[in-house]
Amino acid sequence: MESASIASVGYDGMTGTLEVEFRNGGVYQYIDVPKRLYWRLMSADSLGAFLNLEIKDRHETRKVR
């Protein structure tokens, strides 16, 4: 996984929580993300673009750091 804006991605399939660490140090959790959407994110040509279009503003977000 390589991305200009995203450092790492984690996913908890039991809770549907997607956690994204950005290269600027911010960490966010996106709630109730279906597993199929996580797999689409991980196979996207651009993680940042996919996150912006398909996940942000469509799922509850928690700032972790």
Side-chain angles (χ1 to χ4, degrees):
M1 175 194 97
E2 287 190 34
S3 173
S5 61
I6 297 175
S8 66
V9 175
Y11 182 72
D12 182 338
M14 297 294 290
T15 64
T17 301
L18 175 71
E19 186 168 284
V20 179
E21 178 183 9
F22 292 90
R23 294 201 183 275
N24 67 7
V27 178
Y28 292 83
Q29 291 180 338
Y30 300 91
I31 310 305
D32 292 327
V33 174
K35 190 176 288 188
R36 63 178 160 58
L37 193 56
Y38 164 70
W39 287 115
R40 287 180 53 212
L41 168 67
M42 298 310 293
S43 63
D45 290 335
S46 170
L47 295 177
F50 187 91
L51 185 73
N52 286 331
L53 291 171
E54 301 291 337
I55 297 173
K56 281 185 178 179
D57 299 329
R58 295 183 182 204
H59 295 274
E60 179 185 342
T61 306
R62 294 183 195 143
K63 184 172 184 177
V64 176
R65 174 178 73 204

